[in-house]
Coordinates of all heavy atoms in Angstrom, one line a residue:
M1 N 59.5 387.0 188.3 CA 59.0 386.1 189.3 C 58.5 386.8 190.6 O 59.3 387.7 191.0 CB 60.0 385.0 189.7 CG 59.6 384.0 190.7 SD 60.9 382.6 190.5 CE 59.8 381.3 190.5
H2 N 57.6 386.3 191.3 CA 57.1 386.9 192.5 C 58.0 386.6 193.7 O 58.7 385.6 193.8 CB 55.7 386.4 192.8 CG 54.6 386.9 191.9 ND1 54.3 386.1 190.7 CD2 53.8 388.0 191.7 CE1 53.4 386.8 190.1 NE2 53.1 387.8 190.6
H3 N 58.1 387.6 194.6 CA 58.9 387.3 195.8 C 57.8 386.8 196.8 O 56.9 387.4 197.3 CB 59.4 388.6 196.4 CG 60.3 389.2 195.4 ND1 61.6 388.7 195.2 CD2 60.2 390.3 194.5 CE1 62.2 389.4 194.3 NE2 61.4 390.4 193.9
L4 N 58.2 385.5 197.3 CA 57.2 384.9 198.1 C 57.8 384.5 199.5 O 59.1 384.2 199.5 CB 56.8 383.5 197.4 CG 56.2 383.5 196.1 CD1 55.9 382.1 195.6 CD2 54.8 384.3 196.1
N5 N 57.1 384.5 200.5 CA 57.7 384.0 201.8 C 57.7 382.5 201.8 O 57.2 381.9 200.9 CB 56.8 384.7 203.0 CG 55.3 384.1 203.1 OD1 55.1 383.0 202.7 ND2 54.5 385.0 203.4
I6 N 58.1 381.9 202.8 CA 58.4 380.5 202.9 C 57.1 379.8 202.9 O 57.0 378.7 202.1 CB 59.2 380.2 204.2 CG1 60.7 380.6 204.1 CG2 59.2 378.6 204.4 CD1 61.5 380.5 205.3
I7 N 56.1 380.2 203.5 CA 54.9 379.5 203.4 C 54.2 379.5 202.1 O 53.7 378.5 201.6 CB 53.8 380.1 204.5 CG1 54.4 379.8 205.9 CG2 52.5 379.6 204.4 CD1 53.7 380.4 207.1
Q8 N 54.3 380.7 201.4 CA 53.7 380.8 200.0 C 54.4 379.9 199.2 O 53.9 379.3 198.3 CB 53.8 382.3 199.5 CG 52.9 383.1 200.4 CD 53.2 384.6 200.2 OE1 54.3 385.1 200.0 NE2 52.1 385.5 200.2
Q9 N 55.8 380.0 199.2 CA 56.6 379.2 198.4 C 56.3 377.7 198.5 O 56.2 376.9 197.6 CB 58.0 379.5 198.7 CG 59.0 378.8 197.7 CD 60.5 379.2 197.9 OE1 60.9 380.0 198.8 NE2 61.4 378.6 197.0
Y10 N 56.3 377.2 199.7 CA 55.9 375.8 200.1 C 54.5 375.4 199.4 O 54.4 374.4 198.8 CB 55.8 375.6 201.6 CG 55.4 374.2 202.0 CD1 56.2 373.1 202.2 CD2 54.0 374.0 202.3 CE1 55.8 372.0 202.6 CE2 53.5 372.7 202.6 CZ 54.4 371.7 202.7 OH 54.0 370.4 203.3
F11 N 53.5 376.3 199.6 CA 52.2 376.0 199.1 C 52.3 375.9 197.6 O 51.8 374.9 197.0 CB 51.3 377.2 199.4 CG 49.9 377.1 198.9 CD1 49.0 376.1 199.5 CD2 49.4 377.7 197.7 CE1 47.8 376.0 199.0 CE2 48.2 377.5 197.3 CZ 47.2 376.6 198.0
F12 N 52.9 376.7 196.8 CA 52.9 376.5 195.3 C 54.0 375.4 194.9 O 53.7 374.8 193.9 CB 53.5 377.9 194.8 CG 52.3 379.0 194.6 CD1 52.3 380.1 195.6 CD2 51.3 378.8 193.7 CE1 51.2 380.9 195.6 CE2 50.2 379.7 193.8 CZ 50.1 380.7 194.7
E13 N 55.0 375.1 195.7 CA 55.8 374.0 195.3 C 54.9 372.6 195.4 O 55.1 371.7 194.6 CB 57.0 373.9 196.2 CG 58.1 374.9 195.8 CD 59.2 374.9 197.0 OE1 59.2 374.2 197.9 OE2 60.2 375.8 196.6
K14 N 54.1 372.7 196.5 CA 53.2 371.4 196.6 C 52.1 371.4 195.5 O 51.8 370.3 195.0 CB 52.4 371.5 198.1 CG 53.4 371.3 199.2 CD 54.0 369.9 199.0 CE 55.0 369.5 200.1 NZ 55.6 368.2 199.9
L15 N 51.7 372.6 195.0 CA 50.7 372.6 193.9 C 51.4 372.0 192.6 O 50.7 371.2 192.0 CB 50.1 373.9 193.7 CG 49.2 374.6 194.6 CD1 48.7 376.0 194.2 CD2 48.0 373.8 194.7
K16 N 52.6 372.3 192.5 CA 53.4 371.8 191.3 C 53.5 370.3 191.4 O 53.4 369.5 190.5 CB 54.7 372.5 191.1 CG 55.6 371.9 190.1 CD 56.3 372.7 189.2 CE 57.2 372.2 188.2 NZ 56.7 370.9 187.7
E17 N 53.8 369.8 192.6 CA 54.1 368.4 192.9 C 52.8 367.7 192.5 O 52.7 366.6 191.9 CB 54.4 368.1 194.2 CG 55.9 368.5 194.6 CD 56.3 368.3 196.0 OE1 55.6 367.6 196.8 OE2 57.3 368.9 196.5
I18 N 51.6 368.3 193.0 CA 50.3 367.6 192.7 C 50.1 367.4 191.3 O 49.7 366.5 190.8 CB 49.1 368.4 193.4 CG1 49.3 368.3 195.0 CG2 47.8 368.2 192.9 CD1 48.5 369.3 195.9
Q19 N 50.3 368.6 190.5 CA 50.1 368.6 189.1 C 51.0 367.5 188.4 O 50.4 366.8 187.6 CB 50.5 370.0 188.4 CG 50.2 370.1 186.9 CD 50.7 371.4 186.4 OE1 51.7 372.0 186.8 NE2 49.9 371.9 185.4
D20 N 52.3 367.5 188.8 CA 53.2 366.6 188.2 C 52.8 365.1 188.5 O 52.7 364.2 187.6 CB 54.5 366.7 188.7 CG 55.3 367.9 188.1 OD1 54.7 368.7 187.3 OD2 56.2 368.4 188.8
E21 N 52.3 364.9 189.8 CA 51.8 363.5 190.2 C 50.7 363.0 189.4 O 50.6 362.0 188.8 CB 51.6 363.5 191.6 CG 51.1 362.0 192.1 CD 50.8 362.2 193.5 OE1 51.1 363.0 194.3 OE2 50.0 361.1 193.9
V22 N 49.6 363.9 189.3 CA 48.3 363.5 188.7 C 48.5 363.3 187.1 O 48.0 362.4 186.6 CB 47.3 364.7 188.9 CG1 46.1 364.4 188.0 CG2 46.9 364.7 190.4
V23 N 49.2 364.1 186.5 CA 49.5 364.0 185.1 C 50.3 362.8 184.8 O 49.9 361.9 183.9 CB 50.3 365.2 184.5 CG1 50.8 365.0 183.1 CG2 49.4 366.4 184.5
N24 N 51.4 362.5 185.6 CA 52.2 361.3 185.4 C 51.3 360.0 185.6 O 51.4 359.0 184.9 CB 53.4 361.2 186.1 CG 54.4 362.4 185.7 OD1 54.5 362.6 184.5 ND2 55.1 362.9 186.6
V25 N 50.6 359.9 186.6 CA 49.7 358.8 186.9 C 48.8 358.6 185.7 O 48.6 357.5 185.3 CB 49.0 359.0 188.3 CG1 47.9 357.9 188.4 CG2 50.0 358.8 189.4
K26 N 48.2 359.6 185.4 CA 47.1 359.4 184.3 C 47.8 359.1 182.9 O 47.2 358.2 182.3 CB 46.4 360.8 184.1 CG 45.3 360.8 183.0 CD 44.4 359.6 183.3 CE 43.6 359.2 184.4 NZ 42.8 357.9 184.5
L27 N 48.9 359.5 182.7 CA 49.7 359.1 181.5 C 50.1 357.7 181.5 O 49.9 357.0 180.4 CB 51.0 359.9 181.2 CG 50.8 361.3 180.8 CD1 52.2 362.2 180.9 CD2 50.1 361.5 179.4
C28 N 50.2 357.1 182.6 CA 50.6 355.7 182.8 C 49.5 354.8 182.8 O 49.6 353.5 182.4 CB 51.4 355.4 184.1 SG 53.1 356.2 184.1
T29 N 48.2 355.2 183.1 CA 47.1 354.3 183.2 C 46.0 354.6 182.2 O 44.9 354.1 182.4 CB 46.6 354.5 184.6 OG1 46.2 355.8 185.0 CG2 47.6 354.1 185.7
T30 N 46.1 355.5 181.2 CA 45.0 355.9 180.5 C 44.6 355.0 179.3 O 45.5 354.4 178.6 CB 45.2 357.4 179.9 OG1 43.9 357.7 179.3 CG2 46.2 357.4 178.8
D31 N 43.3 354.6 179.4 CA 42.6 353.9 178.2 C 41.3 354.2 178.2 O 40.4 353.4 177.8 CB 42.9 352.4 178.3 CG 42.3 351.6 179.5 OD1 42.0 352.4 180.4 OD2 42.2 350.5 179.5
S32 N 40.8 355.4 178.7 CA 39.5 355.9 178.9 C 39.1 356.9 177.9 O 40.0 357.5 177.0 CB 39.3 356.5 180.2 OG 39.8 355.5 181.2
S33 N 37.9 357.3 177.8 CA 37.4 358.4 177.0 C 38.0 359.7 177.5 O 38.5 359.9 178.6 CB 35.8 358.5 177.0 OG 35.4 359.0 178.3
M34 N 38.0 360.8 176.5 CA 38.5 362.0 176.9 C 37.7 362.6 178.1 O 38.5 363.2 179.0 CB 38.4 363.0 175.7 CG 39.1 364.3 176.0 SD 40.8 364.3 176.5 CE 41.7 363.9 175.0
E35 N 36.4 362.5 178.1 CA 35.7 363.0 179.2 C 36.0 362.3 180.5 O 36.2 363.0 181.6 CB 34.1 362.9 179.1 CG 33.2 363.4 180.1 CD 31.7 363.3 179.8 OE1 31.4 362.6 178.9 OE2 31.1 363.8 180.7
S36 N 36.1 361.1 180.4 CA 36.5 360.4 181.7 C 37.9 360.8 182.1 O 38.2 361.0 183.3 CB 36.5 358.8 181.4 OG 37.0 358.1 182.5
I37 N 38.8 360.9 181.3 CA 40.3 361.3 181.6 C 40.2 362.7 182.3 O 40.8 362.9 183.2 CB 41.0 361.3 180.3 CG1 41.3 359.9 179.9 CG2 42.4 362.0 180.7 CD1 42.0 359.7 178.5
L38 N 39.5 363.6 181.6 CA 39.5 365.0 182.2 C 38.7 365.0 183.6 O 39.1 365.8 184.4 CB 38.8 365.9 181.3 CG 39.5 366.1 179.8 CD1 38.6 367.1 178.9 CD2 40.9 366.9 180.2
N39 N 37.6 364.3 183.7 CA 37.1 364.2 185.1 C 38.0 363.6 186.1 O 38.1 364.2 187.3 CB 35.8 363.4 185.0 CG 34.6 364.2 184.6 OD1 34.5 365.3 184.6 ND2 33.7 363.5 183.8
E40 N 38.7 362.5 185.8 CA 39.6 362.0 186.7 C 40.8 363.0 187.0 O 41.1 363.0 188.2 CB 40.2 360.6 186.1 CG 39.0 359.6 186.0 CD 39.6 358.3 185.4 OE1 40.8 358.0 185.6 OE2 38.8 357.5 184.9
V41 N 41.4 363.5 186.0 CA 42.6 364.4 186.2 C 42.2 365.6 187.1 O 42.7 365.9 188.1 CB 43.2 364.8 184.9 CG1 44.2 365.9 185.1 CG2 43.8 363.6 184.2
T42 N 41.1 366.3 186.8 CA 40.6 367.3 187.5 C 40.2 366.9 189.0 O 40.5 367.7 189.9 CB 39.4 368.2 186.8 OG1 38.4 367.3 186.6 CG2 40.0 368.8 185.6
Y43 N 39.4 365.9 189.0 CA 39.1 365.3 190.4 C 40.3 365.2 191.3 O 40.4 365.6 192.4 CB 38.3 364.1 190.3 CG 37.9 363.6 191.6 CD1 36.9 364.1 192.4 CD2 38.7 362.6 192.4 CE1 36.5 363.5 193.7 CE2 38.4 362.0 193.7 CZ 37.3 362.6 194.2 OH 37.0 362.1 195.4
D44 N 41.1 364.3 190.8 CA 42.4 364.0 191.4 C 43.3 365.3 191.9 O 43.8 365.4 192.9 CB 43.4 363.1 190.7 CG 42.9 361.7 190.5 OD1 41.8 361.4 191.2 OD2 43.4 361.0 189.6
T45 N 43.3 366.3 190.9 CA 44.0 367.4 191.2 C 43.3 368.3 192.4 O 44.0 368.6 193.4 CB 44.2 368.3 189.9 OG1 44.9 367.6 188.9 CG2 44.9 369.7 190.2
I46 N 42.0 368.5 192.1 CA 41.3 369.2 193.2 C 41.4 368.5 194.6 O 41.7 369.1 195.7 CB 39.9 369.4 192.8 CG1 39.9 370.4 191.6 CG2 39.0 370.0 193.9 CD1 38.6 370.6 190.8
Y47 N 41.2 367.1 194.6 CA 41.2 366.4 195.9 C 42.6 366.6 196.5 O 42.7 366.9 197.7 CB 41.0 364.9 195.4 CG 40.7 364.1 196.7 CD1 39.6 364.0 197.3 CD2 41.8 363.5 197.3 CE1 39.3 363.2 198.5 CE2 41.7 362.6 198.4 CZ 40.4 362.6 199.0 OH 40.3 361.7 200.2
K48 N 43.7 366.4 195.8 CA 45.0 366.7 196.3 C 45.2 368.1 196.8 O 45.8 368.3 197.9 CB 46.1 366.2 195.5 CG 46.0 364.7 195.2 CD 47.1 364.2 194.3 CE 47.2 362.7 194.3 NZ 47.5 362.1 195.6
I49 N 44.6 369.1 196.1 CA 44.7 370.4 196.7 C 44.0 370.6 197.9 O 44.4 371.3 199.0 CB 44.2 371.4 195.6 CG1 45.3 371.5 194.5 CG2 44.1 372.9 196.3 CD1 44.8 372.3 193.3
M50 N 42.8 370.0 198.1 CA 42.1 369.9 199.3 C 42.8 369.4 200.4 O 42.8 369.8 201.6 CB 40.7 369.3 199.1 CG 39.6 370.1 198.2 SD 39.4 371.7 198.5 CE 40.3 372.6 197.2
E51 N 43.5 368.1 200.2 CA 44.3 367.5 201.2 C 45.6 368.4 201.7 O 45.7 368.5 202.7 CB 44.9 366.3 200.6 CG 44.0 365.1 200.5 CD 44.7 363.9 199.8 OE1 45.7 363.8 199.1 OE2 44.2 362.7 200.3
L52 N 46.0 369.2 200.7 CA 47.1 370.2 201.0 C 46.5 371.3 201.9 O 47.1 371.6 202.9 CB 47.6 370.9 199.8 CG 48.7 371.9 200.0 CD1 49.9 371.5 200.7 CD2 49.0 372.7 198.5
L53 N 45.5 371.9 201.7 CA 44.8 372.9 202.4 C 44.5 372.3 203.9 O 44.6 373.0 204.8 CB 43.6 373.4 201.8 CG 43.8 374.2 200.5 CD1 42.5 374.5 199.8 CD2 44.8 375.5 200.8
D54 N 43.9 371.1 203.9 CA 43.7 370.4 205.2 C 44.9 370.0 205.9 O 44.7 369.7 207.2 CB 42.8 369.2 204.9 CG 41.5 369.4 204.4 OD1 40.9 370.5 204.6 OD2 40.8 368.5 203.8
G55 N 46.1 370.1 205.4 CA 47.1 369.6 206.2 C 47.2 368.1 206.3 O 47.9 367.5 207.2
Y56 N 46.5 367.4 205.3 CA 46.5 365.9 205.5 C 47.7 365.1 205.4 O 47.9 364.3 206.1 CB 45.4 365.4 204.4 CG 45.1 364.0 204.5 CD1 44.3 363.5 205.5 CD2 45.6 363.1 203.6 CE1 44.0 362.1 205.6 CE2 45.4 361.7 203.7 CZ 44.5 361.2 204.7 OH 44.2 360.0 204.7
N57 N 48.6 365.5 204.5 CA 49.9 364.8 204.3 C 51.0 365.2 205.1 O 52.0 364.8 205.2 CB 50.3 364.8 202.8 CG 49.3 364.0 202.0 OD1 48.9 362.9 202.5 ND2 49.0 364.5 200.9
T58 N 50.8 366.5 205.8 CA 51.8 367.1 206.6 C 51.3 368.0 207.8 O 50.0 368.6 207.4 CB 52.8 367.8 205.9 OG1 53.7 368.4 206.9 CG2 52.1 368.9 205.1
K59 N 51.7 367.9 208.9 CA 51.1 368.8 210.0 C 51.9 370.1 209.9 O 51.7 371.0 210.9 CB 51.0 368.1 211.3 CG 50.1 366.9 211.3 CD 48.6 367.4 210.9 CE 47.7 366.1 210.9 NZ 46.4 366.5 210.4
E60 N 52.9 370.3 209.1 CA 53.7 371.4 209.1 C 52.9 372.7 208.7 O 53.1 373.7 209.3 CB 54.9 371.2 208.0 CG 55.8 372.3 207.9 CD 57.0 371.9 207.0 OE1 57.0 370.9 206.4 OE2 57.9 372.8 206.9
Y61 N 52.0 372.5 207.8 CA 51.2 373.6 207.5 C 49.7 373.1 207.2 O 49.4 372.1 206.8 CB 51.7 374.2 206.1 CG 53.0 374.9 206.1 CD1 53.9 374.4 205.4 CD2 53.2 376.0 206.9 CE1 55.3 374.9 205.4 CE2 54.5 376.7 206.9 CZ 55.5 376.1 206.2 OH 56.7 376.5 206.2
Q62 N 48.8 374.0 207.7 CA 47.3 373.8 207.5 C 46.8 375.2 207.1 O 47.4 376.2 207.6 CB 46.6 373.3 208.8 CG 47.0 371.8 209.2 CD 46.2 371.4 210.3 OE1 46.1 372.1 211.3 NE2 45.7 370.2 210.2
Y63 N 45.9 375.1 206.3 CA 45.3 376.5 205.8 C 43.9 376.8 206.1 O 43.1 375.8 206.3 CB 45.5 376.5 204.2 CG 46.9 376.3 203.8 CD1 47.4 375.1 203.6 CD2 47.8 377.3 203.7 CE1 48.7 374.7 203.2 CE2 49.2 377.1 203.3 CZ 49.7 375.9 203.1 OH 50.9 375.7 202.7
S64 N 43.5 378.0 206.1 CA 42.1 378.4 206.3 C 41.7 379.1 205.1 O 42.5 380.0 204.6 CB 41.9 379.2 207.5 OG 42.2 378.5 208.7
I65 N 40.6 378.9 204.6 CA 40.0 379.6 203.4 C 39.0 380.7 203.9 O 38.0 380.3 204.6 CB 39.4 378.8 202.3 CG1 40.3 377.7 201.9 CG2 38.8 379.6 201.3 CD1 39.8 376.7 201.1
I66 N 39.3 382.0 203.8 CA 38.5 383.0 204.4 C 37.7 383.6 203.3 O 38.2 384.1 202.2 CB 39.3 384.1 205.0 CG1 40.1 383.4 206.1 CG2 38.4 385.2 205.6 CD1 39.4 382.7 207.3
E67 N 36.3 383.7 203.3 CA 35.4 384.5 202.4 C 35.6 386.0 202.8 O 35.2 386.3 203.9 CB 34.0 384.0 202.5 CG 33.1 384.4 201.3 CD 32.7 385.9 201.4 OE1 32.4 386.3 202.5 OE2 32.8 386.6 200.5
N68 N 36.1 386.8 202.0 CA 36.4 388.1 202.4 C 35.3 388.9 202.8 O 35.4 389.8 203.7 CB 37.2 388.7 201.2 CG 38.6 388.3 201.1 OD1 39.2 387.8 202.0 ND2 39.1 388.4 199.9
N69 N 34.1 388.9 202.1 CA 33.0 389.7 202.4 C 32.5 389.6 203.9 O 32.0 390.4 204.6 CB 31.9 389.6 201.4 CG 32.3 390.3 200.2 OD1 33.1 391.3 200.1 ND2 31.9 389.6 199.0
S70 N 32.3 388.2 204.3 CA 31.7 387.9 205.5 C 32.8 387.5 206.6 O 32.5 387.5 207.8 CB 30.8 386.7 205.4 OG 31.5 385.5 205.0
S71 N 34.0 387.3 206.1 CA 35.1 386.9 207.0 C 34.8 385.3 207.6 O 35.5 384.9 208.6 CB 35.5 387.7 208.2 OG 35.8 389.1 207.7
D72 N 33.8 384.8 207.0 CA 33.6 383.3 207.3 C 34.8 382.3 206.8 O 35.3 382.6 205.7 CB 32.3 382.8 206.9 CG 31.0 383.4 207.6 OD1 31.2 384.0 208.7 OD2 30.0 383.5 207.0
T73 N 35.0 381.3 207.6 CA 36.1 380.3 207.2 C 35.3 379.2 206.5 O 34.5 378.6 207.1 CB 36.8 379.9 208.4 OG1 37.4 381.0 209.1 CG2 37.9 378.9 208.0
V74 N 35.7 379.1 205.2 CA 35.0 378.0 204.4 C 35.3 376.7 205.0 O 34.3 375.9 204.9 CB 35.5 378.2 202.9 CG1 34.9 377.1 202.1 CG2 35.1 379.5 202.3
N75 N 36.5 376.4 205.4 CA 36.7 375.0 205.9 C 36.6 374.9 207.4 O 37.2 373.9 208.0 CB 38.1 374.6 205.4 CG 39.2 375.6 205.7 OD1 39.1 376.7 205.8 ND2 40.4 375.0 205.9
S76 N 35.8 375.7 208.0 CA 35.6 375.6 209.5 C 34.7 374.2 209.7 O 33.6 374.2 209.2 CB 34.9 376.8 210.0 OG 34.6 376.6 211.2
G77 N 35.3 373.4 210.5 CA 34.5 372.3 211.0 C 34.5 371.1 209.9 O 33.7 370.2 210.2
I78 N 35.1 371.3 208.8 CA 35.1 370.1 207.8 C 36.6 369.9 207.3 O 37.4 370.7 207.4 CB 34.2 370.6 206.7 CG1 34.7 371.8 205.9 CG2 32.8 370.7 207.0 CD1 34.0 372.1 204.5
Q79 N 36.7 368.8 206.7 CA 37.9 368.4 206.0 C 37.5 368.5 204.5 O 36.7 367.8 204.0 CB 38.4 366.9 206.3 CG 38.8 366.7 207.7 CD 40.2 367.5 207.9 OE1 41.1 367.2 207.2 NE2 40.2 368.5 208.8
L80 N 38.1 369.5 203.8 CA 37.8 369.9 202.4 C 38.0 368.6 201.5 O 37.0 368.4 200.7 CB 38.7 370.9 201.9 CG 38.5 372.2 202.6 CD1 39.6 373.2 202.1 CD2 37.2 372.9 202.2
H81 N 39.0 367.8 201.7 CA 39.1 366.6 200.8 C 38.2 365.6 201.1 O 37.8 364.9 200.0 CB 40.6 365.9 201.1 CG 40.8 365.3 202.3 ND1 41.1 366.0 203.5 CD2 40.7 364.0 202.6 CE1 41.3 365.0 204.4 NE2 41.1 363.9 204.0
D82 N 37.5 365.5 202.1 CA 36.3 364.6 202.4 C 35.1 365.1 201.7 O 34.4 364.3 201.1 CB 36.1 364.4 203.9 CG 37.0 363.5 204.6 OD1 37.8 362.9 203.9 OD2 37.2 363.7 205.8
V83 N 34.8 366.3 201.8 CA 33.6 366.9 201.3 C 33.7 367.0 199.7 O 32.6 366.8 199.1 CB 33.3 368.3 201.9 CG1 32.1 369.0 201.3 CG2 33.1 368.3 203.4
C84 N 34.8 367.3 199.1 CA 34.8 367.5 197.7 C 34.4 366.2 196.8 O 33.8 366.2 195.8 CB 36.1 367.9 197.1 SG 37.4 366.6 197.1
A85 N 34.6 364.9 197.5 CA 34.0 363.8 197.0 C 32.6 363.7 196.8 O 32.0 363.1 195.8 CB 34.5 362.6 197.7
D86 N 31.8 364.6 197.5 CA 30.3 364.6 197.4 C 29.9 365.4 196.3 O 28.8 365.3 195.8 CB 29.7 365.1 198.7 CG 30.0 364.2 199.9 OD1 30.2 363.1 199.8 OD2 29.9 364.8 201.1
Y87 N 30.8 366.2 195.7 CA 30.5 367.2 194.7 C 31.0 367.0 193.3 O 30.5 367.4 192.3 CB 30.7 368.7 195.1 CG 29.8 369.0 196.3 CD1 30.2 368.8 197.6 CD2 28.6 369.7 196.1 CE1 29.3 369.1 198.6 CE2 27.8 370.2 197.1 CZ 28.0 370.0 198.4 OH 27.3 370.2 199.5
L88 N 32.2 366.3 193.3 CA 32.9 366.4 192.0 C 32.8 364.9 191.3 O 32.8 363.8 192.1 CB 34.4 366.6 192.2 CG 34.7 368.0 192.8 CD1 36.2 368.2 193.1 CD2 34.2 369.1 191.9
K89 N 32.9 364.9 190.2 CA 32.9 363.5 189.3 C 34.3 363.0 189.4 O 35.2 363.8 189.0 CB 32.6 363.8 187.8 CG 31.0 364.1 187.6 CD 30.9 364.2 186.1 CE 29.5 364.6 185.8 NZ 29.2 364.6 184.2
S90 N 34.4 361.9 189.8 CA 35.7 361.1 189.9 C 36.0 360.3 188.6 O 37.1 359.8 188.3 CB 36.0 360.4 191.0 OG 35.1 359.4 191.2
E91 N 35.0 360.0 187.9 CA 35.1 359.3 186.6 C 34.3 359.8 185.5 O 33.2 360.3 185.7 CB 34.7 357.7 186.9 CG 34.9 357.2 188.2 CD 34.8 355.8 188.3 OE1 34.1 355.1 187.4 OE2 35.1 355.1 189.3

């Protein structure tokens, strides 16, 4: 197991919570085609990860995504969870 600092540990614990939540919700509500199920599950998972990065559900932590070659911040001036809806299939 990796030795993580508190912030890293929090981040990965939140990712696990997201995975558990999305899978459990989908298991309880599924009556769709496999393509629809996969689009919904991946959309919900990615959306919740973007919320986590944005600090949407908690102000305890907010994250910046840095592109290493240019040092530009990917999420500068935007809320990732709002923008992902423009690009990903939700159904």
